[in-house]
Amino acid sequence: SRNFSEEFLSALSAQPIDIAELKRAGFYGVPDDQPDLRARYWRIALGYLPPDKSQWLSELQTRRNEFHSFYAEFSTDLIPPHRRSAPPLPLSDPPSLLPPPSPDPPSLQSA
């Protein structure tokens, strides 16, 4: 009998991934030895990533482009009306204390 970690990794390594099998294996938890597995599991289980791994990079790129498009469109609404006549400040220039937002957790930014 395999332990839950082996069953989980087996379900995640299938091509294409059987979503029902992955959810069944994930019911007992996600192994802690690889931190990126939890984020990957939820992205697949919730339909953010397709079961076919060969589509992951293009799907992530599409999602990132959508995020940046929505951010650019709606971030102007965050500027108070009395400051809208002033030239907008680029988000990436100092002295900004916060990095630009990312649609992905750090564990998936290299994907």
Side-chain angles (χ1 to χ4, degrees):
S1 162
R2 299 186 308 178
N3 65 26
F4 88 94
S5 181
E6 291 170 344
E7 288 185 27
F8 182 84
L9 293 174
S10 175
L12 194 58
S13 64
Q15 175 60 358
I17 295 171
D18 180 343
I19 302 296
E21 178 66 22
L22 181 66
K23 287 180 178 181
R24 189 189 63 71
F27 179 79
Y28 297 103
V30 177
D32 291 329
D33 55 345
Q34 297 176 355
D36 64 318
L37 289 181
R38 186 175 312 278
R40 190 174 307 151
Y41 167 78
W42 282 110
R43 284 177 176 229
I44 298 164
L46 296 174
Y48 188 82
L49 285 177
D52 184 355
K53 294 178 189 178
S54 67
Q55 297 175 353
W56 285 6
L57 289 178
S58 64
E59 186 65 27
L60 283 173
Q61 188 59 48
T62 299
R63 300 286 184 153
R64 289 173 184 146
N65 290 342
E66 288 173 354
F67 171 83
H68 291 296
S69 174
F70 288 141
Y71 182 80
E73 181 179 345
F74 294 111
S75 65
T76 56
D77 292 340
L78 301 176
I79 301 172
H82 67 280
R83 297 210 52 218
R84 288 189 185 158
S85 61
L89 298 174
L91 294 176
S92 60
D93 285 352
S96 176
L97 300 177
L98 299 174
S102 173
D104 299 316
S107 61
L108 288 177
Q109 288 180 7
S110 62

